[in-house]
């Protein structure tokens, strides 16, 4: 019987397994859905007086180190998740179990090829992978019944290792479309261009970006560090409840890493959570985890505190207990 991976401070409920169902393949995956044609517009080089909008997805200035108090609700529950590569049918995930509660930061580490990135992509419905068993429940809903766009609108965000470029689409247009799609999903009115600019411009300081960044096409000509900042900027604007961050530290110098980590910490609240994939303990010096999970051969084989990551960095994966 597979062990259910949850930190000792959490006691996951044992709800019945929901039957899994394949989502329709979607050949294009963005961090947010594309719903209608975009019209490019420019934004001023100087910020206007900050506008106040009535927004439900603001991020209070709490750090990730003090996010408790009340009893936490179960946010994501993964049970016995198995998946294969769609084309070759090669098994990658072989029974992943994980529970994430509100306000938690979970870290997944493991050797190359252990299934970390595949796990993240399966959670958001990447068409390269086919689910063959198990269940994924997010806020009580069966994620495996949802198309990728529906998962995004439900509040699941993923930052990719290598974000794609979208020529001809500015950052502000892309995010205006995505943000309004999420507001519509939440039953809230869409924001007009001026109102949205007042909202989005306040998020730039969070990732240490200048206002002209909004006029640049999405990731086009961006450096590696700019792409990672842009991913976290998107997360700040969209306000997702579960952020899946796939190696946001790769390719970053120490200053860029501090900026990105500071932004992630600034977005953490008692209601949202982060699932981070990384190879290195250095990221955990800036973003303190609730739990660290070690993945091996498509399964989570060890779960504990930050000390696991320190041990792995010092001794390598040979220090893992025999399974």
């Amino acid at each position: 019987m597979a062990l259910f991976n949850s930190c000792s401070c959490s006691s996951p409920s044992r709800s019945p397994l929901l039957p899994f169902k394949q989502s329709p393949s979607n050949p294009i995956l963005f961090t947010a859905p594309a719903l209608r044609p975009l019209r490019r517009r420019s934004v001023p080089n100087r910020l206007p007086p900050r506008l106040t909008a009535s927004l439900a997805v603001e991020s209070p200035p709490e750090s990730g180190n003090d996010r408790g108090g009340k009893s936490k609700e179960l946010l994501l529950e993964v049970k016995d998740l198995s998946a294969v590569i769609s084309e070759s049918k090669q098994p990658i995930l072989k029974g992943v179990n994980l529970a994430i509660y509100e306000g938690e930061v979970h870290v997944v580490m493991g050797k190359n090829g252990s299934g970390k990135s595949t796990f993240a992509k399966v959670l958001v419905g990447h068409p390269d992978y086919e689910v063959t068993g198990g269940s994924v429940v997010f806020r009580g809903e069966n994620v495996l019944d949802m198309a990728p766009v529906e998962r995004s609108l439900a509040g699941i965000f993923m930052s990719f290792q290598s974000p794609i470029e979208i020529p001809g689409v500015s950052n502000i247009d892309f995010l205006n479309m995505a943000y309004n799609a999420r507001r519509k999903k939440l039953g809230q009115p869409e924001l007009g261009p001026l109102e949205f600019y007042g909202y989005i411009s306040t998020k730039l300081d969070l990732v240490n970006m200048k206002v002209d960044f909004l006029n640049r096409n999405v990731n086009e000509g961006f450096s590696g560090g700019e792409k990672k900042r842009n991913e976290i900027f998107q997360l700040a604007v969209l306000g997702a409840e579960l952020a899946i961050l796939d190696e946001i530290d790769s390719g970053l110098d120490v200053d860029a890493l501090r900026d990105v980590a500071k932004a992630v910490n600034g977005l953490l609240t008692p209601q949202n959570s982060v699932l981070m994939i990384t190879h290195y303990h250095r990221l955990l010096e800036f973003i303190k985890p609730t739990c660290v999970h070690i993945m091996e051969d498509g399964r989570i084989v060890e779960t504990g505190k930050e000390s696991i990551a320190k041990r792995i960095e010092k001794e390598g994966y040979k220090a893992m207990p025999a399974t």
Side-chain angles (χ1 to χ4, degrees):
M1 178 181 294
L3 295 175
F4 199 83
N5 290 288
S6 175
C7 285
S8 58
C9 57
S10 305
S11 300
S13 57
R14 294 289 183 171
S15 58
L17 286 175
L18 293 177
F20 73 90
K21 180 179 179 181
Q22 282 296 107
S23 299
S25 291
N26 187 342
I28 301 178
L29 279 178
F30 298 135
T31 308
L35 300 181
R36 60 173 179 264
L38 297 171
R39 184 172 59 192
R40 185 178 179 86
R41 64 175 179 275
S42 295
V43 299
N45 290 326
R46 294 186 178 180
L47 294 179
R50 292 190 174 179
L51 305 176
T52 302
S54 176
L55 302 169
V57 199
E58 285 288 347
S59 302
E62 289 189 39
S63 73
N65 298 324
D66 185 14
R67 304 183 297 274
K70 301 186 295 185
S71 60
K72 295 181 284 189
E73 297 290 332
L74 183 61
L75 189 67
L76 180 75
E77 188 174 37
V78 180
K79 290 186 176 181
D80 298 320
L81 181 64
S82 300
V84 300
I85 298 174
S86 298
E87 186 173 336
S88 67
K89 306 304 180 186
Q90 177 185 348
I92 304 294
L93 303 183
K94 303 174 183 178
V96 177
N97 293 279
L98 181 67
I100 299 178
Y101 285 76
E102 290 179 335
E104 294 185 340
V105 176
H106 288 244
V107 174
V108 177
M109 303 180 72
K111 301 175 184 177
N112 289 330
S114 61
K116 305 183 301 299
S117 291
T118 296
F119 177 45
K121 291 176 180 178
V122 167
L123 290 180
V124 297
H126 199 293
D128 285 354
Y129 303 96
E130 176 185 339
V131 174
T132 55
S135 67
V136 179
V137 178
F138 177 71
R139 290 200 177 280
E141 293 188 84
N142 187 356
V143 168
L144 300 179
D145 276 339
M146 301 179 185
V149 165
E150 294 171 333
R151 301 182 199 199
S152 172
L153 294 178
I156 300 176
F157 174 97
M158 181 169 174
S159 169
F160 292 93
Q161 282 189 49
S162 302
I164 63 171
E165 296 182 1
I166 310 179
V169 180
S170 69
N171 272 305
I172 192 168
D173 282 335
F174 176 74
L175 286 170
N176 194 180
M177 169 204 65
Y179 184 69
N180 277 334
R182 179 144 165 75
R183 286 180 68 86
K184 184 177 180 180
K185 172 74 174 179
L186 296 172
Q188 300 168 359
E190 295 185 5
L191 297 186
L194 186 60
E195 201 175 17
F196 179 69
Y197 177 70
Y199 167 64
I200 194 174
S201 61
T202 65
K203 305 294 183 182
L204 288 168
D205 287 344
L206 190 67
V207 289
N208 197 21
M209 301 297 283
K210 296 180 180 179
V211 67
D212 58 5
F213 170 75
L214 298 177
N215 280 329
R216 296 174 63 182
N217 292 337
V218 180
N219 292 324
E220 189 175 25
F222 283 21
S223 67
E226 286 178 324
K227 288 183 178 181
K228 297 300 174 70
R229 291 172 195 259
N230 197 25
E231 294 282 282
I232 303 305
F233 181 60
Q234 292 172 14
L235 172 60
V237 172
L238 298 177
E241 282 79 22
L242 177 65
I244 302 170
L245 309 179
D246 191 2
E247 297 194 30
I248 59 167
D249 52 337
S250 65
L252 297 185
D253 60 37
V254 66
D255 291 332
L257 179 60
R258 281 198 186 98
D259 284 343
V260 168
K262 180 181 178 181
V264 172
N265 283 325
L267 294 172
L268 285 168
T269 75
Q271 285 74 47
N272 61 20
S273 299
V274 172
L275 176 62
M276 299 193 304
I277 295 169
T278 185
H279 281 289
Y280 306 108
H281 175 261
R282 71 169 186 162
L283 179 61
L284 310 190
E285 295 174 359
F286 300 101
I287 304 175
K288 295 301 179 182
T290 307
C291 292
V292 175
H293 310 277
I294 306 300
M295 183 169 277
E296 176 71 22
D297 192 26
R299 296 181 180 90
I300 292 176
V301 297
E302 186 178 2
T303 291
K305 298 295 185 179
E306 185 183 352
S307 57
I308 293 180
K310 292 180 179 178
R311 188 192 73 217
I312 294 296
E313 183 168 84
K314 182 179 179 180
E315 303 178 28
Y317 288 100
K318 65 182 180 181
M320 286 171 36
T323 57

